[in-house]
Amino acid sequence: TRQAEMAFVRLQAANDAGDLNDIREYTTPEMFAEISMQIRERGDAEQQTEVVSLNAQILEVVREDHYTIASVRFSGLVREEANANPEPFDEVWHVRRDENDRSGTWLISGIQQLS
């Protein structure tokens, strides 16, 4: 789960910075299109997410065709505005890895908000 937590924090930072190149490395083409659309819609609005606390729990790992697919539940507290109180979040990230890809990179294929 440590690797999952690091990926969560990295994607939050890339999203805040609007770093599409970094986001592309860790998302499926479909997920990348969705995140880039959200970044474009927010325009020049500054965003800074502080991850106050983070818990990661692997819910399920399955194998389909040549993919390994995992569902990871993330919960905790984030602060999205300076001096604001931290807000709770609870979401499930679906990630997949192509077993034929030598890099073995896990790509985010979906994010489901639970709260």
Side-chain angles (χ1 to χ4, degrees), residues 48 50 52 76-89:
Q48 175 114 19
E50 177 189 351
V52 178
L77 296 170
V78 293
R79 180 178 293 121
E80 295 181 326
E81 294 178 22
N83 303 318
N85 288 328
E87 296 284 332
F89 71 94

Side-chain angles (χ1 to χ4, degrees), residues 1-92:
T1 57
R2 178 84 179 123
Q3 186 178 10
E5 290 173 354
M6 288 175 17
F8 181 90
V9 171
R10 181 176 181 169
L11 187 65
Q12 293 302 324
N15 188 29
D16 287 349
D19 186 345
L20 295 177
N21 289 328
D22 199 31
I23 292 169
R24 182 179 281 119
E25 288 186 40
Y26 292 94
T27 55
T28 61
E30 299 81 11
M31 193 73 225
F32 174 76
E34 188 174 321
I35 292 172
S36 16
M37 184 177 68
Q38 292 170 358
I39 289 172
R40 276 194 306 276
E41 285 174 355
R42 98 173 169 237
D44 293 335
E46 192 172 311
Q47 182 171 308
Q48 175 114 19
T49 305
E50 177 189 351
V51 179
V52 178
S53 68
L54 179 61
N55 303 302
Q57 175 187 11
I58 297 172
L59 301 178
E60 179 180 47
V61 178
V62 296
R63 189 168 167 95
E64 288 181 17
D65 298 322
H66 54 88
Y67 289 105
T68 300
I69 302 164
S71 297
V72 182
R73 184 175 187 174
F74 291 102
S75 60
L77 296 170
V78 293
R79 180 178 293 121
E80 295 181 326
E81 294 178 22
N83 303 318
N85 288 328
E87 296 284 332
F89 71 94
D90 194 0
E91 55 195 42
V92 174

